Amino acid sequence: METLKDFLINKGYSKIKLKLTKTNHFEIKATINGIKGRFILDTGASSSCVGFEAIERFNLKVKDSEIKAVGAGASDMLTQISKSNHLKIGKWKKNRVALILFNLSHVNNGLINHNADPVDGIIGADILKKGKAIIDYQKKYLYLKLKEISLPKDS
């Protein structure tokens, strides 16, 4: 019997290990513009985001945004946006990724208060949809669809 892993790998997916934190969140490693970071995987977050303090670290070009961020424990927060970023999660890569920037201190304070490490940001549903994500909660893996290779058509 074929396992889920074997099935997805055969369908062109990349396997990425997830770490379950003390707060029962999945943490994932990702690279933004060539710089490694730690992120919470959040299927309920509509947009992927990073904290204001990450602007220089990830070499982000930011613009003010009229959108107000709303999340667990916080609302009506000022945001900025950074477009055209390069994101890499495992072997999966995506160019021209937009990231929302906002004050992540309430998220990181909550993590620290529960003896978990702070994160650089959140990988949200926007990226999960682009990557045709499948999450194996039991085995703690995220699968993202690698780009399809187009084969030449027969003449």
Side-chain angles (χ1 to χ4, degrees), residues 5-43:
K5 178 190 94 165
D6 293 337
F7 175 79
L8 292 173
I9 297 297
N10 288 335
K11 293 289 183 186
Y13 278 80
S14 171
K15 179 176 89 166
I16 301 109
K17 184 70 178 160
L18 298 171
K19 175 186 171 190
L20 191 62
T21 68
K22 293 178 182 177
T23 57
N24 217 24
H25 291 97
F26 278 130
E27 184 181 287
I28 189 167
K29 293 180 181 171
T31 302
I32 298 174
N33 300 328
I35 309 297
K36 293 179 183 175
R38 294 177 38 252
F39 300 84
I40 288 176
L41 186 69
D42 188 348
T43 60

Side-chain angles (χ1 to χ4, degrees), residues 6-118:
D6 293 337
F7 175 79
L8 292 173
I9 297 297
N10 288 335
K11 293 289 183 186
Y13 278 80
S14 171
K15 179 176 89 166
I16 301 109
K17 184 70 178 160
L18 298 171
K19 175 186 171 190
L20 191 62
T21 68
K22 293 178 182 177
T23 57
N24 217 24
H25 291 97
F26 278 130
E27 184 181 287
I28 189 167
K29 293 180 181 171
T31 302
I32 298 174
N33 300 328
I35 309 297
K36 293 179 183 175
R38 294 177 38 252
F39 300 84
I40 288 176
L41 186 69
D42 188 348
T43 60
S46 57
S47 300
S48 296
C49 46
V50 294
F52 287 131
E53 64 280 353
I55 293 172
E56 285 184 28
R57 178 170 177 217
F58 292 117
N59 303 313
L60 304 176
K61 294 182 177 82
V62 298
K63 293 182 180 179
D64 288 334
S65 172
E66 306 223 354
I67 298 168
K68 301 285 186 192
V70 177
S75 63
D76 209 28
M77 296 179 291
L78 294 174
T79 65
Q80 291 181 309
I81 189 164
S82 176
K83 297 180 181 179
S84 296
N85 296 291
H86 179 74
L87 177 66
K88 184 174 184 277
I89 303 172
K91 294 177 184 173
W92 186 85
K93 298 174 188 174
K94 185 76 176 164
N95 290 319
R96 297 187 304 275
V97 172
L99 298 167
I100 303 298
L101 287 93
F102 72 104
N103 185 340
L104 267 182
S105 62
H106 70 287
V107 172
N108 280 324
N109 287 339
L111 291 170
I112 292 166
N113 289 340
H114 288 88
N115 297 316
D117 293 326

